[in-house]
Amino acid sequence: MFCQNCGAEIHDKAVVCVKCGCAVNNSVNNAVESEWLIVMLLCFFLGCFGIHRFYVGKIGTGIVQLLTCGGCGIWALIDFIMILVGGFTNAEGKAIKMH
């Protein structure tokens, strides 16, 4: 995560930037924490349609999953396992993890 004021790299759980002392907006962190549950539920119930991939911004692979019924269910199952263990990422490459 980066400071919105000076651009310095800061820890994801930081409250204040060490470099400039600016307060860090923690509402972004809360959104990421709740995102895991949403993605996990979307994958569990609608994984064969690739809806969880559309939600995280992976439109191209979402369309492929939609057209192949989640790779006959295998791709959707692999995605579900990856979500559970914290190895699934969004379109920006950030891991979607349970906190």
Side-chain angles (χ1 to χ4, degrees), residues 3-59:
C3 177
Q4 295 174 350
N5 187 44
C6 70
E9 187 173 359
I10 54 177
H11 190 270
D12 290 341
K13 302 281 183 179
V15 179
V16 177
C17 174
V18 178
K19 184 175 180 184
C20 70
C22 181
V24 176
N25 184 359
N26 287 330
S27 64
V28 173
N29 291 338
N30 293 336
V32 171
E33 289 176 11
S34 65
E35 187 177 52
W36 177 84
L37 180 62
I38 295 168
V39 173
M40 191 266 307
L41 290 172
L42 285 172
C43 185
F44 183 78
F45 291 110
L46 301 169
C48 287
F49 302 112
I51 302 302
H52 60 289
R53 288 192 167 259
F54 287 105
Y55 182 79
V56 297
K58 295 181 174 182
I59 307 300

Side-chain angles (χ1 to χ4, degrees), residues 65-92:
Q65 270 198 345
L66 181 64
L67 295 175
T68 63
C69 293
C72 296
I74 296 171
W75 193 358
L77 177 64
I78 291 169
D79 278 355
F80 185 70
I81 293 169
M82 294 297 289
I83 293 166
L84 290 178
V85 299
F88 193 75
T89 59
N90 63 13
E92 298 173 350

